[in-house]
Each structure stands twice: as C-alpha cells, then as structure tokens.
Amino acid sequence: MGIDKFGNTVVIELKRGKTPRETVAQILEYASFVENLDYVQLDEIYQGYSGEDISLAEYHREYFENGEDEQVSFNKSTKLVIVAQEVSREIRQTALFLRRKDVD
C-alpha cells in the first residue's frame, strides 16, 4: 500500500512471473480493506512500518514538498496497480473492464 501526492491510497499487487486469475480477487480484497481506513488508521500503519517520529501527514507534506497551506484529504479514492513480469490476457481484459467502470 502507498499514498499518492493527493492523499489517495494506492494498492499494489506484485506477482512473479505471469498473473494467475486470483490476482484480481486479491487486489480487490485488499482494496476493500484499504478503502475503509480513516486517517488515524493510516497513520497507525505508517508509524508501524516507518519507525519515524513524525505523523503521516507531516511525512507526506515533506515528501511531496507540499506547502503548509495545502490541505490533503487522505483516502478519498483508491487506485489499484498490478505489477508482474507478464500480465495475462484475462487480467488485462478484466483491468480494462474495471477501468471502464471507473475503478482506477
């Protein structure tokens, strides 16, 4: 999981080799979990992984070089990304279908 410049969550599914059919089910399962996280929960996850003494909002502002006056609303949208050595035709077809249905 990651967070983009605008505070939106990004779910990334990594696969070695070719993508099996279960890839879409896995990324949708992760997305359904991530979509319901509020800022406090995201900050807890960040703190658990980073070991940093600053908040997620502070780190995000520094990393993306946002000004103090730029307000970011965290997790208003979720993007899904599949990364693999080879994306199967079925996964590509399903991803295009989801994109046409406004799933980013």
Side-chain angles (χ1 to χ4, degrees):
M1 178 174 67
I3 297 180
D4 70 10
K5 177 179 178 69
F6 307 104
N8 297 313
T9 50
V10 181
V11 176
I12 304 166
E13 177 64 26
L14 302 173
K15 293 293 181 193
R16 292 184 192 182
K18 192 172 182 178
T19 50
R21 292 188 74 210
E22 298 82 31
T23 303
V24 173
Q26 285 178 311
I27 200 164
L28 291 175
E29 182 181 333
Y30 300 147
S32 70
F33 168 75
V34 168
E35 178 184 53
N36 295 314
L37 297 175
D38 61 19
Y39 172 77
V40 171
Q41 293 167 309
L42 289 171
D43 188 51
E44 288 174 0
I45 292 169
Y46 165 74
Q47 295 295 326
Y49 280 97
S50 73
E52 298 286 332
D53 288 334
I54 64 172
S55 70
L56 171 61
E58 291 171 297
Y59 181 82
H60 185 271
R61 185 173 23 259
E62 288 177 13
Y63 183 85
F64 288 107
E65 300 177 349
N66 293 337
E68 291 286 333
D69 58 335
E70 292 183 68
Q71 296 294 328
V72 173
S73 295
F74 287 90
N75 208 13
K76 295 296 178 192
S77 177
T78 302
K79 297 176 186 174
L80 309 179
V81 178
I82 297 172
V83 178
Q85 289 175 316
E86 182 181 346
V87 177
S88 67
R89 184 183 60 77
E90 295 82 9
I91 298 297
R92 191 177 311 274
Q93 176 181 320
T94 304
L96 290 172
F97 168 79
L98 291 171
R99 177 157 293 176
R100 285 192 304 270
K101 298 299 180 184
D102 293 327
V103 176
D104 198 7

